[in-house]
Amino acid sequence: MRRSKRLVLLSKFLIENPNRIFTLKYFGEKYDAAKSSISEDLNIIKDAFYEAGEGILETIPGAAGGVRFRIKKPGEKIENFLSELCKILSDRSRIIPGGYLYMTDIIFSPEYSSKIGEIFAQIFVDKDPSCVLTVETKGIPLALMTAKALGVPLVVARRDSRVTEGPSVNISYVSGSSQRIQNMALPTRALSENERVLIIDDFMKAGGTARGMIELVRQFGAEVVGVAVLVATALPVEKLVKSYTSLLVLEKIDTERGEVNLRPVKFL
Amino acid sequence: MRRSKRLVLLSKFLIENPNRIFTLKYFGEKYDAAKSSISEDLNIIKDAFYEAGEGILETIPGAAGGVRFRIKKPGEKIENFLSELCKILSDRSRIIPGGYLYMTDIIFSPEYSSKIGEIFAQIFVDKDPSCVLTVETKGIPLALMTAKALGVPLVVARRDSRVTEGPSVNISYVSGSSQRIQNMALPTRALSENERVLIIDDFMKAGGTARGMIELVRQFGAEVVGVAVLVATALPVEKLVKSYTSLLVLEKIDTERGEVNLRPVKFL
């Protein structure tokens, strides 16, 4: 195979398998080429991705070594994206009676959810999560795309245990904002005690749901390595979780005036 | 920018924006290159993707023309994947008391859900769907990945209408297998009457849920262009929907013997 074609296929493979280590030997056999040629290909890909701000191709030394593609966009690129997102979400037509903001179309959009998932992955990749956890329903697309960008599985807690998923661990918790008792369930086979869990959700107000998920992870004896949401409300300032990351902060929705005050967090 | 780097970045862009038309002019400006150079790049990418069975790069003539990348894998590759999936899902440890099959980890896995979504997209791309519809919860990952591969939005029906999503269309329907009355709700702003809707779900037994989704789409005055599920049970033979596609057929789960009889559909 000629270099130009190999570059195309190697790029595709690396993009579709982020955060995983592959050896030069593996690629050499896959594309029927000498390791030295593969090495040159990878250098070209590395430079192209780096210069375009798409990600980094790392060389891992040692017996278990190889190369690994990690999505890493420059802070400016991320900030521009989040500003654009704020602009879209701040449209007055999105205000729902009762003081809510309609975000479902953005959260469920493959285009936006994949970009948001890549940002979450970039923030938490160094914490080395082994899986992503969310609770149904609206957190699922963001959590799935985060898991995809990290190259790890997704685990989804349900509101009730399901007969189709076998024995489960169930917890009850008090929702921080509505003060109602809520349930959350996760099949016993969905999580093991060695997992390093990244918790992802779409929205946080008081943080009760996130705290519920942390409690659920503890019941399995696993570890939470991060909690992140797309949007957190500015109030209450004190959330029920000690530490969390949000990409956007919702300061206020003024239903009367038709004004939404939403801003990106400066975190990079 | 040199050809080799352009090939890497162009490949990445096309893979991440499937099923959408881009002009040579657009790429020329994006990568600061002459249209003739871009044209040569695209020919190399076209050949590489085609020969590796990854997809086709089509040239669309005319004023609104350009190039479009469509995922199209050879039948053999898809059959191998579905056979592997059957093998994984037929493991006796997946049998849940009550005669169910634990598939949640596969359905929620970014790796498998993206491959399954690409197959659905390949089957239905010629029906020109403008959005993908599913109902919460387990259909969401497959539907999201199908929408991503088609380059269209995802719409998710809920079991109850939500105050946070504004006015909604609600329907009640009788579940085909349990004969219970179920609800389904979709915000009025989530779907318009011009949409061409592809319905995706994880599982079909009698087809009541799929029929419910078809009814919901009709309430919006939109058109259903296809119905597809990952797994359909062999029985009942007559489903509540006239026409549907399933990738796998579940013949039988023998809880006593610990045997699962699951097979891929020959559809290509």
Side-chain angles (χ1 to χ4, degrees), chain A residues 3-252:
Chain A
R3 157 140 306 144
S4 53
K5 288 190 186 169
R6 242 175 17 234
L7 284 174
V8 171
L9 298 179
L10 257 173
S11 301
K12 183 169 194 290
F13 185 87
L14 290 166
I15 293 159
E16 290 178 346
N17 295 283
N19 211 28
R20 285 168 59 182
I21 299 171
F22 299 96
T23 60
L24 294 195
K25 184 164 171 278
Y26 174 82
F27 288 131
E29 284 166 10
K30 191 174 171 71
Y31 301 113
D32 193 19
K35 272 163 74 175
S36 57
S37 305
I38 295 289
S39 180
E40 285 168 37
D41 297 343
L42 291 171
N43 274 327
I44 293 169
I45 294 173
K46 181 180 182 170
D47 289 351
F49 283 164
Y50 181 78
E51 285 164 27
E54 297 283 2
I56 48 173
L57 198 63
E58 291 174 321
T59 305
I60 318 294
V67 292
R68 175 173 62 192
F69 173 63
R70 281 187 163 172
I71 298 155
K72 186 168 185 180
K73 301 196 171 172
E76 200 195 329
K77 215 169 176 174
I78 294 176
E79 278 172 20
N80 288 344
F81 170 73
L82 294 179
S83 296
E84 184 207 324
L85 200 55
C86 276
K87 209 172 147 190
I88 293 169
L89 290 173
S90 300
D91 193 289
R92 59 187 299 162
S93 71
R94 291 187 170 271
I95 299 174
I96 300 276
Y100 300 99
L101 193 61
Y102 187 75
M103 308 199 300
T104 313
D105 57 334
I106 296 296
I107 287 170
F108 284 142
S109 134
E111 191 181 344
Y112 286 100
S113 63
S114 58
K115 284 179 184 164
I116 295 163
E118 285 177 3
I119 297 172
F120 284 139
Q122 178 168 336
I123 297 171
F124 290 98
V125 69
D126 291 329
K127 302 273 184 188
D128 200 20
S130 64
C131 70
V132 172
L133 170 70
T134 191
V135 63
E136 59 182 341
T137 298
K138 289 202 291 190
I140 296 175
L142 304 183
L144 179 67
M145 292 305 191
T146 306
K148 185 170 163 53
L150 287 168
V152 301
L154 169 66
V155 175
V156 179
R158 310 294 294 261
R159 292 293 177 184
D160 311 289
S161 58
R162 301 288 162 143
V163 63
T164 55
E165 296 182 20
S168 61
V169 173
N170 290 255
I171 63 157
S172 294
Y173 66 97
V174 180
S175 153
S177 38
S178 68
Q179 291 290 318
R180 281 189 311 175
I181 292 177
Q182 308 257 17
N183 298 305
M184 216 183 268
L186 196 59
T188 52
R189 62 174 85 198
L191 202 61
S192 70
E193 61 178 5
N194 301 317
E195 301 286 351
R196 296 173 57 80
V197 183
L198 172 60
I199 293 173
I200 297 286
D201 211 350
D202 60 321
F203 196 81
M204 183 187 291
K205 194 170 179 183
T209 303
R211 195 166 75 173
M213 281 193 269
I214 293 172
E215 176 56 27
L216 197 54
V217 172
R218 282 201 191 121
Q219 289 298 319
F220 282 81
E223 187 186 348
V224 174
V225 300
V227 176
V229 296
L230 174 62
V231 179
T233 53
L235 298 177
V237 175
E238 293 288 325
K239 309 289 189 199
L240 292 170
V241 291
K242 260 191 289 186
S243 154
Y244 71 97
T245 299
S246 84
L247 303 185
L248 310 178
V249 175
L250 182 59
E251 293 281 357
K252 203 184 162 193

Side-chain angles (χ1 to χ4, degrees), chain B residues 212-262:
Chain B
M213 281 192 268
I214 293 171
E215 176 57 27
L216 196 55
V217 172
R218 283 203 189 119
Q219 289 297 320
F220 281 81
E223 187 185 348
V224 174
V225 299
V227 176
V229 297
L230 174 62
V231 178
T233 53
L235 298 177
V237 176
E238 293 289 324
K239 308 289 190 198
L240 292 170
V241 292
K242 261 191 288 186
S243 155
Y244 72 96
T245 299
S246 85
L247 302 185
L248 309 179
V249 175
L250 182 59
E251 294 281 357
K252 203 184 162 193
I253 298 176
D254 189 328
T255 315
E256 290 293 307
R257 290 183 176 184
E259 281 175 11
V260 179
N261 189 336
L262 185 70

Side-chain angles (χ1 to χ4, degrees), chain B:
Chain B
M1 196 188 298
R2 285 190 48 187
R3 159 139 304 144
S4 53
K5 287 189 186 171
R6 243 177 12 237
L7 284 174
V8 172
L9 298 179
L10 257 173
S11 300
K12 183 170 194 289
F13 185 87
L14 290 165
I15 292 159
E16 290 177 346
N17 294 282
N19 212 28
R20 286 168 58 181
I21 299 170
F22 299 95
T23 62
L24 293 195
K25 185 165 171 278
Y26 173 82
F27 287 132
E29 284 166 8
K30 191 173 170 74
Y31 302 112
D32 192 19
K35 272 162 75 175
S36 58
S37 305
I38 295 289
S39 181
E40 285 168 36
D41 297 344
L42 291 171
N43 275 328
I44 294 169
I45 294 173
K46 182 181 182 169
D47 290 350
F49 283 164
Y50 182 78
E51 285 164 28
E54 297 282 2
I56 47 173
L57 199 63
E58 291 174 321
T59 307
I60 318 294
V67 291
R68 174 173 63 191
F69 172 62
R70 280 187 163 172
I71 299 156
K72 187 168 185 178
K73 302 196 172 174
E76 200 194 329
K77 215 169 176 175
I78 294 176
E79 279 172 19
N80 288 344
F81 170 72
L82 294 179
S83 296
E84 185 206 323
L85 201 54
C86 278
K87 209 172 148 189
I88 294 169
L89 290 174
S90 300
D91 192 292
R92 60 186 298 160
S93 70
R94 292 186 169 272
I95 299 174
I96 300 277
Y100 301 99
L101 193 61
Y102 187 75
M103 309 199 301
T104 313
D105 56 333
I106 296 295
I107 287 170
F108 284 141
S109 134
E111 192 181 342
Y112 286 98
S113 63
S114 58
K115 284 180 183 164
I116 296 163
E118 285 178 4
I119 297 173
F120 284 139
Q122 178 168 335
I123 297 171
F124 290 98
V125 70
D126 292 329
K127 301 273 183 190
D128 202 19
S130 65
C131 69
V132 172
L133 171 70
T134 192
V135 63
E136 60 182 340
T137 296
K138 289 202 290 190
I140 296 175
L142 305 183
L144 179 67
M145 291 305 191
T146 308
K148 185 168 163 53
L150 286 167
V152 300
L154 169 65
V155 176
V156 178
R158 310 293 294 262
R159 292 294 178 184
D160 312 287
S161 57
R162 300 288 162 144
V163 62
T164 55
E165 296 182 19
S168 62
V169 173
N170 291 253
I171 62 157
S172 295
Y173 66 97
V174 179
S175 152
S177 38
S178 68
Q179 291 291 317
R180 281 189 312 176
I181 292 177
Q182 307 257 17
N183 297 304
M184 216 184 267
L186 196 59
T188 52
R189 61 174 86 197
L191 204 61
S192 70
E193 61 178 6
N194 301 318
E195 302 286 352
R196 296 173 58 79
V197 183
L198 173 59
I199 293 174
I200 296 287
D201 211 351
D202 60 321
F203 196 80
M204 183 187 290
K205 193 170 180 183
T209 303
R211 195 167 75 174
M213 281 192 268
I214 293 171
E215 176 57 27
L216 196 55
V217 172
R218 283 203 189 119
Q219 289 297 320
F220 281 81
E223 187 185 348
V224 174
V225 299
V227 176
V229 297
L230 174 62
V231 178
T233 53
L235 298 177
V237 176
E238 293 289 324
K239 308 289 190 198
L240 292 170
V241 292
K242 261 191 288 186
S243 155
Y244 72 96
T245 299
S246 85
L247 302 185
L248 309 179
V249 175
L250 182 59
E251 294 281 357
K252 203 184 162 193
I253 298 176
D254 189 328
T255 315
E256 290 293 307
R257 290 183 176 184
E259 281 175 11
V260 179
N261 189 336
L262 185 70
R263 61 175 172 82
V265 172
K266 300 274 177 212
F267 60 94
L268 290 167

